[in-house]
Amino acid sequence: MHDFEGWLALSLAVQPWAGTVARWSTDGGPKPVGVTIGGKVNMQFVKAESGQAHAGEWEQPDPAPAVQASPTDPPSWAQAVADVIRAGNHPGVKGVLTYAEWGGSTKPGGVRVELVDGSQLYGSILTAGR
């Protein structure tokens, strides 16, 4: 999960709308795992359904390309993050849905990421501002 967080942070950092991106747990550090985007949006990730990710799956250093977005609230931030994950076409990611697309959460914004190892990551927007 820390490797995904690192790849996502790199991918968000190249987005013109994201501003400064900071990882919460660097060097495989302690939980929680997440990112702060632009100093105003905090997104925490938790892992469900254990899987056995192979270390080599996340060695691809290339971040996702820039995507168009103008997020202003938790659902639009979640959509922007999901679009970045999709645009990255990372071989370790099988699929991604926003909570709105998925319909499995009552939280206002977040993403469900399914990895190729069968595990799932849930990224919830904790705070969002303009």
Side-chain angles (χ1 to χ4, degrees):
M1 189 161 59
H2 294 284
D3 295 331
F4 172 80
E5 175 199 47
W7 175 80
L8 180 60
L10 285 173
S11 295
L12 289 169
V14 301
Q15 306 304 319
W17 45 266
T20 302
V21 177
R23 292 177 65 184
W24 293 1
S25 60
T26 58
D27 300 323
K31 294 181 180 178
V33 171
V35 292
T36 299
I37 309 165
K40 58 189 169 195
V41 176
N42 293 308
M43 186 170 206
Q44 181 176 359
F45 284 88
V46 295
K47 185 175 183 178
E49 300 181 26
S50 64
Q52 301 300 319
H54 302 287
E57 290 175 355
W58 294 101
E59 289 177 5
Q60 177 181 341
D62 296 333
V67 300
Q68 294 281 335
S70 298
T72 58
D73 60 6
S76 64
W77 278 102
Q79 185 64 57
V81 170
D83 289 347
V84 168
I85 295 169
R86 288 182 188 116
N89 200 30
H90 195 286
V93 174
K94 184 175 180 182
V96 61
L97 294 171
T98 65
Y99 285 175
E101 293 167 332
W102 171 44
S105 177
T106 58
K107 294 182 181 179
V111 296
R112 182 183 76 165
V113 182
E114 185 179 2
L115 303 181
V116 295
D117 71 357
S119 63
Q120 295 179 25
L121 303 177
Y122 296 89
S124 297
I125 303 290
L126 302 179
T127 56
R130 289 187 178 268

